[in-house]
Amino acid sequence: MTRPMLRLGTRRSPLALAQSALVAAAVTESTGWPVELVEITSHGDVNRASLVQIGGTGVFVSALRDALVDGRVDFAVHSLKDLPTAPAAGLAIAAIPPREDPRDALVARAAATLAELPPNARIGTGSPRRSAQLLALGRGFEIVDIRGNVDTRVAYVTDGELDAVVLAAAGLRRLGRAAVMTQLIDPDTMLPAPGQGALALECLVERADVAAALASLDDVATRVAVTAERSVLARLEAGCSAPVGVLAEVVELGFAEPELFVRAVVGHPSAAGEVFRSSITGSLQDAVGLGHALADRLLAESAYGSLGERVQ
């Protein structure tokens, strides 16, 4: 018997369409279930103001979730870093596939690295998290707020308007644009957004058939890592546009059980270039607890007292 077509809700951006097409192919290969893409326009796609101005968390998500609830699509694909940390009533993250490279990437003139950029170089990014960490390098970089798709951002460099831009390596790889990267930025220099490089496949809780099909794509190591990262974000009560970077990695010890190594950075919202860092290591079975403990450490040791209020 021929299965009905699964409708996958996706944003219209080139990157969203590319990663949704990868998911659709993986679902069909794994389950035999045919998938069609249903393009949805989100508020974040039509409003060109900065993410901080238009609300940050959820601006790329709400329209897809509305389509799920309305029955226009059977499941949706999100960039996990765009998802609010609070659960959505009636919806479930059925799968988190294996993560792409979570690091940030530099695209610079003359194939430069961060260390090779001149003092006071003009660097484009729409992310307060990236801005805070770039300023913390003490190089006097001028940060220029930009929006737009990958091609638009890369064009700022190729057209000579900016010296460099910072983008997610995962997006460039999924679009087949890895060649434009002039540096993969080490997490010791710049920690990525929580969940960066990972995708979330979301469906209605009541659609057990869809959830079962999507579950075949779930990657345990990725889910554990991003759970810890998002737990830090949730504890700090910070959104996806806040100056917070987190990276959790499963460390294989060889002689003992693997451990989860979690690093985080919080940028001061009003003191440019001031950031606070901390890390923690613990059991893979305690991803949420580790994330909360790391956030509490940041709040107790530096961020809470220095920021006056929790990161907004």
Side-chain angles (χ1 to χ4, degrees):
M1 185 173 101
T2 303
R3 283 181 164 180
M5 188 79 71
L6 265 183
R7 298 163 299 167
L8 185 166
T10 176
R11 290 170 52 203
R12 295 176 181 269
S13 74
L15 176 56
L17 290 170
Q19 59 196 25
S20 293
L22 291 172
V23 169
V27 170
T28 301
E29 181 180 0
S30 176
T31 68
W33 206 325
V35 180
E36 66 173 335
L37 271 55
V38 178
E39 298 179 18
I40 306 291
T41 300
S42 74
H43 178 55
D45 292 318
V46 297
N47 192 320
R48 308 318 298 170
S50 73
L51 291 181
V52 174
Q53 290 177 318
I54 62 177
T57 306
V59 298
F60 296 118
V61 172
S62 57
L64 289 172
R65 286 180 161 173
D66 289 344
L68 279 171
V69 173
D70 294 345
R72 286 176 283 149
V73 300
D74 299 302
F75 73 104
V77 174
H78 307 284
S79 290
L80 188 60
K81 67 182 180 63
D82 294 334
L83 275 186
T85 54
L91 299 178
I93 298 178
I96 300 175
R99 189 182 209 170
E100 241 301 356
D101 192 331
R103 292 174 292 180
D104 286 305
L106 188 73
V107 178
R109 297 170 64 184
T113 65
L114 281 172
E116 294 166 342
L117 286 173
N120 305 316
R122 302 180 77 238
I123 304 178
T125 176
S127 162
R129 169 191 61 82
R130 289 172 179 147
S131 297
Q133 294 182 84
L134 286 168
L135 292 173
L137 296 175
R139 297 280 310 283
F141 293 141
E142 178 187 349
I143 308 302
V144 180
D145 186 47
I146 60 172
R147 288 285 309 280
N149 61 33
V150 167
D151 286 337
T152 298
R153 297 185 188 210
V154 171
Y156 281 114
V157 177
T158 56
D159 293 347
E161 186 173 343
L162 297 175
D163 295 296
V165 294
V166 180
L167 302 168
L172 291 168
R173 293 188 189 281
R174 287 177 177 138
L175 284 169
R177 300 294 306 279
V180 304
M181 297 188 292
T182 59
Q183 180 187 9
L184 283 168
I185 305 176
D186 192 292
D188 288 340
T189 299
M190 181 178 291
L191 283 172
Q196 185 163 302
L199 302 176
L201 280 51
E202 190 172 50
C203 68
L204 294 174
V205 170
E206 64 191 45
R207 289 297 305 272
D209 57 335
V210 175
L214 299 180
S216 62
L217 274 62
D218 196 58
D219 182 71
V220 174
T222 299
R223 185 179 280 270
V224 167
V226 299
T227 295
E229 294 167 14
R230 287 165 58 78
S231 295
V232 174
L233 195 68
R235 191 72 149 200
L236 291 174
E237 298 178 354
C240 69
S241 64
V244 177
V246 192
L247 180 63
E249 300 169 284
V250 176
V251 180
E252 299 286 347
L253 300 175
F255 55 87
E257 290 294 317
E259 290 188 332
L260 197 60
F261 175 47
V262 193
R263 291 175 278 178
V265 62
V266 177
H268 199 299
S270 58
E274 185 174 3
V275 298
F276 312 104
R277 301 178 186 274
S278 192
S279 63
I280 195 169
T281 303
S283 169
L284 271 63
Q285 283 69 49
D286 191 27
V288 172
L290 285 172
H292 287 173
L294 180 54
D296 289 343
R297 183 178 296 176
L298 279 166
L299 292 170
E301 294 179 356
S302 55
Y304 186 82
S306 298
L307 298 181
E309 298 180 355
R310 291 191 176 190
V311 179
Q312 296 300 312

